[in-house]
């Protein structure tokens, strides 16, 4: 919102800030009214003054140029070459002296024109950016003071502030409202605008009747009839006032309504009374489906929820938002019905947003105007219209206000202000602030007051609001800095949150990026993807056949609560691949939902992982392993971080337990301490082909509630042995159907306490191997914590391992 400093001067003395506007801007910003920009227009007219042509002669070297001697006051005379021909000796003109910079970045400096020195320029209004077209230079009135800066002479020496007003401070959306703030901040006297129009003895009510039907949306409505008006251009002072805040002049009647809105914050509307059908104004909701044409000619269809100002045949105005084309003032208007009302903010805001109409009026009504200011605005506008358009105003005005808005009094003590701000509040200063804010005070005890806030301060409802007002007006910088005193132990962090954060950090460290999807999905699409939910139950996940439906879904694609995270993560994978991401890793931590057997709702926390493609710099075609093993490795890193060692991967014997979206031969369920907690698998080739995904992909989903049981688990800290580790490598030929995991489990059991670690380091399935066989190379790490291993100990341990493998799997060293 723009504020003019010269306009503000009418209500509070701000003379000192014309030379230092930044100081006022800083004070307003500290008080909560952020000043975004300060514009001093006078700077655009630096070195531009009123001049007096003393002599005019022909240019000695050019027939179409004149040579003038121009005085700019105090005996200073300039020789200026001019190309215009509409001036003569004795004229008052506008002179741009060397140093001036005109619009278009045209710098004025001393120069020679056709061999004759010229020290300036005689200006037209176009050259100053004040008119689109000009015929010759501007000729000023004969009494224009010579030497006076043109900005000051023409009224262009104003300073404007661009304010960012927060929604709770609608009372500052006017010059008078801001003047009240300045008066509070600097202890200055506030001047109230005159609002005492001269009215005749005739009755407004006899000319235009009023019927407020939607009084729930319009608590107050005032109106007055005026006739004998002459619509025309506004006087110069009114035009310049509006232009100073970025508003264009339309005609004297409309300009007055805009002026009062910017002055008092009260929007008004002037109806051409000749077009009010039935001579009756009705305040009521719109009829659903009826058409309304705005002042700019746009046609909209009303929903029936808008508040309208109507006559007996059609809507003439969307209340608080915009007038209708059939209601505006034109050049032929001679009589008007002037409206000033209070509409509920919710009503104006809803109408404005529904139809995308953003006006200065809607901006103010949406935030709230002063219900007690409606009549004041009507009277002020009436007086100004009579001043600029003549005519006469009728008495007996309308003022529908059956239930006056009343604020509840707030009781507060100065000690409360002191306690909350941390420094001693001064009682006389507190009382002064409250009075200047427009509050009514009643002392109810020593240092205690009952305060009735004014109706224009919607934000003052409790004692803490008044504490904030004292802090704001006195200056936040007075609040001392101090650390809070901790009298109790801080509350513990939520365990699930901390575990989820740890899991999230770990997954990102493994190269996964986090996905966040809606908990709403489309029931048909999710069912088609998941298939039978029994497969998810078999993996240990809590699901139900019946989904949880949303009562008021946004669309068919978001009509139920999700059963699984896998569907959403697959859609992310699909979108990323077709957007050009040929490989990637995603994870999501979120809740899934199911119906309990008793009919209630349940939800569980899940972790889902998706991986597709291969990093080209790591891919080796000779190691053609499924990408699901990369996913398996990431899950095992998570298990290790949770200090879970008792886990195993199980491939179900019954293929009916494998979800429809996963590869039956590359699927496993995760058992943690004997209990299933989720699944992992390669995405089904048919699914990938149907979605035109040309790279391998894998998916996993785990129940975090089950994984987190007993967390955090304590770590057993062991000192590092100073004795060396001994490695022994063995290669075994075994059937391809034999699980290497079972072999490693048997080795751990047979080796006993000397085994530090065991792992696979090579796999061979080439032409030299027997059909159906594979060669697996396994490395054992052995160590004695208390002494250096002896050869006999090593031989004893390895023999036990080999004997156990021979007995249980019929394996021999290759």
């Amino acid at each position: 919102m723009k504020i003019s400093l010269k306009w503000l001067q009418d209500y509070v003395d701000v003379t000192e800030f014309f030379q230092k506007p930044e100081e006022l801007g800083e004070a307003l910003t500290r008080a909560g009214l952020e000043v975004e920009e300060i514009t001093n227009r006078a700077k655009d007219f630096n070195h531009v003054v009123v001049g007096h042509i003393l002599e005019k002669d022909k240019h000695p070297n050019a027939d179409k140029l004149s040579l003038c001697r121009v005085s700019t006051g105090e005996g200073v005379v300039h020789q200026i070459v001019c190309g215009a021909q509409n001036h003569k000796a004795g004229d008052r003109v506008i002179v741009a002296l060397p140093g001036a910079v005109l619009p278009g970045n045209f710098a004025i400096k001393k120069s020679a024109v056709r061999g004759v020195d010229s020290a300036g320029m005689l200006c037209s209004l176009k050259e100053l950016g004040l008119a689109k077209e000009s015929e010759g230079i501007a000729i000023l009135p004969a009494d224009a003071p010579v030497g006076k800066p043109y900005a000051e002479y023409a009224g262009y020496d104003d300073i404007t502030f661009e304010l960012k007003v927060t929604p709770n401070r609608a009372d500052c959306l006017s010059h008078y409202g801001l003047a009240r703030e300045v008066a509070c901040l600097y202890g200055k006297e506030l001047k109230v605008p005159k609002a005492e129009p001269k009215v005749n003895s005739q009755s407004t009510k006899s000319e235009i009747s009023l019927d407020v039907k939607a009084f729930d949306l319009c608590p107050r409505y005032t109106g007055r009839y005026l006739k004998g008006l002459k619509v025309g251009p506004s006087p110069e002072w009114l035009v310049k006032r509006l232009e100073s805040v970025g508003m264009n002049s339309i005609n004297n009647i409309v300009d007055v309504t805009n002026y009062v809105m910017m002055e008092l914050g009260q929007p008004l509307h002037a109806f051409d009374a000749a077009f009010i059908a039935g001579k009756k104004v009705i305040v009521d909701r719109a009829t659903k489906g009826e058409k309304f044409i705005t002042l700019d000619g746009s046609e909209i269809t009303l929903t029936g929820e808008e508040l309208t100002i109507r006559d007996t045949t059609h809507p003439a105005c969307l209340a608080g938002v915009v007038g209708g084309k059939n209601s505006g003032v034109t050049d032929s208007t001679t009589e008007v019905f002037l409206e000033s009302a209070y509409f509920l903010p919710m009503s104006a805001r809803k109408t404005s947003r529904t139809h995308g109409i953003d006006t200065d009026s809607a901006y103010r009504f949406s935030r709230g105007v002063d219900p007690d200011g409606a009549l004041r605005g009507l009277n002020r506008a009436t007086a100004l219209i009579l001043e600029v358009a003549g005519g006469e105003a009728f008495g007996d005005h309308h003022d529908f206000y059956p239930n006056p808005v009343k604020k509840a009094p707030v009781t507060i003590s100065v000690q409360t202000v002191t306690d909350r701000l941390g420094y001693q509040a001064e009682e006389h200063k507190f009382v002064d602030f409250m009075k200047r804010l427009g509050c009514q005070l009643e002392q109810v005890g020593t240092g205690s007051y009952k305060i009735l806030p004014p109706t224009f301060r919607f934000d003052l409802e409790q004692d803490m609001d008044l504490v904030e007002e004292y802090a704001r007006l006195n200056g936040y910088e007075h609040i001392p800095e101090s650390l809070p005193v901790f009298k109790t132990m801080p509350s513990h962090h939520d365990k699930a949150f901390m575990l989820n954060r740890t899991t999230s950090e770990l997954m990102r460290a493994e190269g996964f990026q986090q996905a966040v999807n809606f908990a709403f999905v489309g029931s048909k699409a999710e069912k088609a993807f998941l298939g039978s939910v029994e497969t998810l139950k078999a993996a240990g996940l809590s699901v139900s056949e019946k989904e949880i439906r949303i009562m008021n879904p946004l669309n068919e694609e978001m009509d139920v609560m999700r059963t699984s995270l896998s569907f959403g993560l697959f859609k992310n994978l699909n979108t990323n691949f077709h957007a050009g991401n040929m490989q990637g890793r995603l994870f999501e931590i979120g809740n899934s939902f199911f119906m309990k057997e008793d009919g209630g709702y349940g939800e569980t926390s899940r972790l889902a992982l998706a991986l597709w493609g291969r990093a080209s710099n790591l891919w080796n075609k000779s190691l053609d392993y499924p990408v699901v093993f990369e996913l398996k490795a990431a899950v095992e890193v998570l298990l290790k971080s949770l200090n879970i060692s008792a886990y195993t991967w199980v491939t179900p014997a019954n293929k009916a337990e494998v979800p429809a979206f996963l590869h039956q031969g590359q699927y496993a369920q995760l058992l943690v301490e004997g209990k299933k907690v989720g699944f992992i698998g390669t995405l089904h080739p048919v699914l990938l082909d149907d979605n035109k995904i040309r790279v391998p992909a894998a998916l996993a989903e785990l129940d975090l509630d089950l994984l987190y049981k007993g967390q955090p688990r304590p770590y057993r800290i062991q000192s590092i042995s100073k004795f060396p580790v001994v490695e022994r490598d063995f290669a075994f030929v075994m059937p391809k159907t034999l699980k290497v995991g079972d072999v490693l489990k048997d080795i751990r059991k047979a080796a006993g306490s000397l085994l530090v670690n065991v792992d696979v380091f090579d796999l061979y399935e080439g032409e030299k191997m027997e059909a159906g066989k594979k060669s697996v190379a396994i490395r054992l790490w052995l160590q004695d914590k208390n002494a250096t291993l002896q050869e006999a100990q090593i031989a004893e341990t390895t023999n036990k391992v080999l004997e156990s493998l021979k007995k249980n799997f019929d394996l021999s060293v290759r």
Side-chain angles (χ1 to χ4, degrees), residues 136 180 279 309 446-447 521 678 680 706 717 719 792 798:
R180 185 168 45 233
K279 296 298 180 181
I309 312 300
T446 304
V521 295
I680 187 172
L706 296 176
I717 306 300
S719 60
T798 55

Side-chain angles (χ1 to χ4, degrees), residues 22-152:
E22 292 78 13
E23 183 178 309
L24 178 59
E26 291 173 3
L28 292 173
T29 300
R30 286 196 302 270
L33 300 170
E34 183 180 350
V35 176
E36 295 185 311
E37 184 180 7
I38 300 175
T39 303
N40 188 348
R41 195 174 183 188
K43 292 182 179 179
D44 296 337
F45 300 98
N46 275 345
H47 304 290
V48 179
V49 300
V50 175
H52 179 212
I53 301 177
L54 301 177
E55 297 178 8
K56 176 186 177 184
D57 297 317
K58 287 185 178 182
H59 190 288
N61 302 321
D63 294 338
K64 294 184 178 181
L65 299 178
S66 60
L67 183 61
C68 302
R69 294 181 68 250
V70 183
S71 169
T72 55
E74 298 182 356
V76 179
V77 178
H78 306 269
Q79 178 174 281
I80 299 175
V81 175
C82 181
Q85 300 299 324
N86 65 318
H87 57 289
K88 62 183 185 299
D91 284 342
R92 298 292 200 272
V93 292
I94 306 172
V95 183
L97 299 174
V101 180
L102 303 185
N105 202 30
F106 180 55
I108 303 298
K109 54 187 177 181
K110 292 182 179 181
S111 60
V113 180
R114 290 289 187 94
V116 176
D117 291 338
S118 179
M121 176 174 141
L122 305 186
C123 302
S124 67
L125 294 180
K126 180 182 179 181
E127 289 165 331
L128 293 173
L130 301 176
K132 292 183 179 180
E133 296 295 335
S134 295
E135 295 183 2
I137 65 172
I139 307 301
L140 302 178
D143 60 352
V146 177
K148 190 170 187 176
Y150 178 71
E152 184 180 344

Side-chain angles (χ1 to χ4, degrees), residues 699-743:
L699 198 65
E701 186 166 349
L702 308 174
D703 189 321
L704 287 178
D705 291 337
L706 296 176
L707 277 181
Y708 288 163
K709 279 190 175 179
Q711 294 291 336
R713 300 189 179 191
Y715 285 87
R716 292 181 179 179
I717 306 300
Q718 295 181 348
S719 60
I720 299 174
S721 176
K722 62 181 180 179
F723 300 103
V725 175
V726 176
E727 298 178 5
R728 289 292 183 268
D729 296 342
F730 301 94
F732 299 97
V733 176
M734 62 184 71
K736 287 186 177 181
T737 56
L738 180 60
K739 297 179 182 177
V740 177
D742 292 340
V743 174

Side-chain angles (χ1 to χ4, degrees), residues 187-225:
K188 294 176 176 289
E189 181 184 354
L190 183 66
K191 307 167 190 175
V192 182
K194 293 182 180 179
E196 299 175 358
K198 183 179 181 181
V199 298
N200 61 27
S201 59
Q202 299 182 68
S203 172
T204 292
K205 295 176 182 177
S206 64
E207 292 292 332
I208 304 290
S209 61
L210 174 67
D211 183 9
V212 181
K213 294 182 178 180
F215 51 83
D216 57 325
L217 301 181
C218 177
R220 188 173 193 183
Y221 190 94
T222 69
R224 176 177 281 116
Y225 176 75

